[in-house]
Amino acid sequence: MVDWQQITRHARRQDGAVSLGQLRLAGMTDDQVLRACATGRLHRRHRGVFVVGSDVPTRHGRLWAASLAAGPGAWLYGLTALELLGLRPPAGDAIHLGAPTRRRTRGALVLHEASRVEARHLWRRRGMAVAFPPLALLGAAPSLDDDALAVLVANAVARRTTSPSRMLAAAEHFLRHPGVPALRRVVAAELADPGHGRTHAEMEARFLALLRALPGLPPYRRNEPLHLAEDHVVVPDVWFPGPRVWLELDSRTWHEQRRAMDRDRRKDQRAAALGVVVFRITWQQLLHEWERVARDLLAVLAR
């Protein structure tokens, strides 16, 4: 007799996905599995993996189905691991998995052989095994250019999901991994950036001291809501109402992530359409190029 309650418990825990082995343990024969598929009670997702009830599983249901299809000892890896860890949005149908031994790639499942992976290198998210952030970044590195990888590294550091020292330790442990050279380059650039490890408040305090020393500044306001239009309200770091100049401090924590960058560019475009000049300053410019930046800022304000 088929124990559908047991099958339902598996499906709830695994976002709708169940393996053929779990179905057999619940009392189903292979013929009964075929009949359940014919009636729509089960939907085949991969060889030996099914989804209960719906032929359109959720994103997490697809990840669970892929994990079950990859077999024992597999884990979510590379770009897919970064997605599950919240470090990048879902992208594409391909699901990347790692395994300690070579396995055949099947359809949208991209299987990578990854040696020297220990229990400490794997986390669990929603019940699934997933590469911890440094290993996930190593897995993603060969398929990304340095700029795209830098966005993910900065995102991980800003969210305190990992740190440069942990990433470098992982690169040392997985020394022969093809992603090691790129990850080392990007982490070195992250550490060399003057904004690394500094908060937006630190940047603001340093900037205001320099700003107040500039001669002939027009009146300005700080961190106040500004209604540029009925449908457009912003909070500039500094707002000069006379010349209509909006000054924004670009600290890495808030402005390096790709989605934040896209939002910032859209705000700049909208401000330009409303006759506002957006003047952005980075940590690099604040610490090493302030004299030139200050001259340009005064020229903009005078204009």
Side-chain angles (χ1 to χ4, degrees):
M1 184 175 178
V2 178
D3 187 348
W4 276 101
Q5 287 186 341
Q6 183 177 337
I7 294 171
T8 301
R9 284 195 297 272
H10 285 307
R12 284 176 180 166
R13 188 175 66 251
Q14 298 167 177
D15 288 284
V18 292
S19 68
L20 180 59
Q22 291 170 332
L23 294 175
R24 286 171 173 166
L25 286 174
M28 292 192 82
T29 64
D30 290 354
D31 285 343
Q32 287 173 318
V33 171
L34 291 175
R35 284 198 295 272
C37 289
T39 60
R41 202 163 187 181
L42 293 176
H43 300 271
R44 186 179 183 275
R45 185 71 190 174
H46 302 288
R47 182 178 180 181
V49 179
F50 304 84
V51 175
V52 178
S54 172
D55 61 347
V56 185
T58 65
R59 178 61 177 173
H60 286 116
R62 291 196 291 274
L63 296 182
W64 253 113
S67 296
L68 293 171
W75 59 85
L76 296 174
Y77 186 56
L79 294 172
T80 304
L82 294 171
E83 171 195 330
L84 192 61
L85 293 168
L87 297 175
R88 71 185 295 270
D93 293 327
I95 296 176
H96 295 264
L97 300 110
T101 57
R102 185 177 298 278
R103 302 181 189 184
R104 190 177 63 185
T105 294
R106 302 172 183 171
L109 305 188
V110 183
L111 300 172
H112 306 262
E113 182 182 0
S115 61
R116 299 201 68 198
V117 176
E118 303 168 6
R120 63 191 175 96
H121 299 134
L122 301 177
W123 289 1
R124 296 201 79 82
R125 290 292 184 271
R126 298 181 70 104
M128 290 174 276
V130 55
F132 83 138
L135 178 57
L137 289 162
L138 277 173
S143 63
L144 301 173
D145 60 34
D146 282 10
D147 287 342
L149 182 60
V151 171
L152 295 173
V153 166
N155 196 358
V157 172
R159 290 170 178 249
R160 300 176 187 264
T161 307
T162 188
S163 66
S165 61
R166 292 193 188 100
M167 287 184 274
L168 292 175
E172 188 67 27
H173 181 83
F174 299 102
L175 193 56
R176 295 186 180 181
H177 192 290
V180 165
L183 187 62
R184 281 179 166 169
R185 283 195 307 271
V186 168
V187 171
E190 166 77 19
L191 290 171
D193 190 283
H196 173 72
R198 301 172 186 257
T199 67
H200 191 78
E202 288 178 278
M203 186 182 191
E204 198 169 51
R206 184 181 290 264
F207 165 73
L208 288 173
L210 294 170
L211 182 69
R212 293 186 185 112
L214 294 180
L217 279 182
Y220 61 86
R221 301 198 298 266
R222 291 178 46 219
N223 299 318
E224 293 183 11
L226 175 65
H227 294 255
L228 290 177
E230 189 173 326
D231 64 337
H232 194 61
V233 180
V234 295
V235 184
D237 288 326
V238 178
W239 167 243
F240 294 91
R244 291 179 66 79
V245 172
W246 163 7
L247 199 151
E248 191 75 5
L249 301 174
D250 277 358
S251 63
R252 291 180 66 83
T253 302
W254 300 110
H255 294 281
E256 187 71 16
Q257 299 171 38
R258 176 150 297 174
R259 281 178 288 180
M261 183 178 70
D262 290 341
R263 288 195 299 270
D264 286 345
R265 299 303 168 264
R266 181 65 191 116
K267 286 192 294 186
D268 292 355
Q269 294 160 1
R270 185 75 174 118
L274 296 168
V276 171
V277 173
V278 180
F279 194 98
R280 295 185 177 274
I281 299 176
T282 67
W283 266 108
Q284 173 72 25
Q285 294 166 345
L286 190 63
L287 295 180
H288 302 301
E289 304 172 47
W290 174 245
E291 290 186 5
R292 286 181 292 174
V293 171
R295 283 198 300 269
D296 288 341
L297 175 59
L298 289 173
V300 169
L301 294 173
R303 192 178 63 192

